[in-house]
Amino acid sequence: MIVGYVYCISYILHINSDLNWPIDPNMYSIASNIGECICLLICTVLISIIYYNVRHKRIFIHTNANLIKGIGTVVMFGNLITDFIIIKILPEYARYTSMNHFSIVMGLFIIAIGYVFQEAIKMKEEQDLTI
């Protein structure tokens, strides 16, 4: 997966290597795509760790709850990371950056699922102690 993301980023940069840096308007979409690729890479790594834990029968553990909350945090702040990359690489396009409210709502929803999962872990631990 990591190789795929590196290839994707290098492909984006290779296609647009003949563009006038940093004045070309296509550079805004390149910087935006790089930010999105970084966020997707982080989420993919976290999901892979959860998948590894589930395959090894470690489902209700605190690590998985923290990883789910981490995915929600990356989704929630992913747009900020993308905007930060655009502002640093292309300061003249900073006025075009905007916060995506859908990503904030989705991130908060995923974080809430992480907290529900954490409560399920506590209930499982209590049930294991009573039996």
Side-chain angles (χ1 to χ4, degrees), residues 11-37:
Y11 181 72
I12 290 168
L13 294 176
H14 176 67
I15 286 176
N16 298 297
S17 62
D18 58 337
L19 300 175
N20 265 339
W21 179 268
I23 299 172
D24 197 327
N26 290 328
M27 295 310 293
Y28 177 80
S29 65
I30 292 170
S32 176
N33 287 337
I34 290 173
E36 291 172 6
C37 284

Side-chain angles (χ1 to χ4, degrees), residues 9-67:
I9 290 172
S10 65
Y11 181 72
I12 290 168
L13 294 176
H14 176 67
I15 286 176
N16 298 297
S17 62
D18 58 337
L19 300 175
N20 265 339
W21 179 268
I23 299 172
D24 197 327
N26 290 328
M27 295 310 293
Y28 177 80
S29 65
I30 292 170
S32 176
N33 287 337
I34 290 173
E36 291 172 6
C37 284
I38 290 170
C39 293
L40 284 173
L41 177 66
I42 294 169
C43 286
T44 303
V45 168
L46 296 177
I47 290 171
S48 297
I49 295 170
I50 292 172
Y51 180 71
Y52 177 81
N53 287 337
V54 169
R55 284 195 63 188
H56 287 89
K57 307 281 191 246
R58 295 181 299 213
I59 300 168
F60 291 104
I61 58 175
H62 291 286
T63 304
N64 287 345
N66 293 333
L67 289 171

Side-chain angles (χ1 to χ4, degrees), residues 1-2 4 7 10 15 36 39 47-48 50 52-53 65 70 72 77-78 85 90 92 108 110 112 114 117-119:
M1 288 183 281
I2 294 172
Y7 175 75
S10 65
I15 286 176
E36 291 172 6
C39 293
I47 290 171
S48 297
I50 292 172
Y52 177 81
N53 287 337
F77 292 114
I85 290 172
L90 305 166
E92 62 272 6
L108 289 173
I110 295 170
F117 198 78
Q118 191 172 11
E119 289 299 317

Side-chain angles (χ1 to χ4, degrees), residues 103-115:
S103 64
I104 293 174
V105 172
M106 282 303 296
L108 289 173
F109 182 72
I110 295 170
I111 290 172
I113 290 172
Y115 279 110

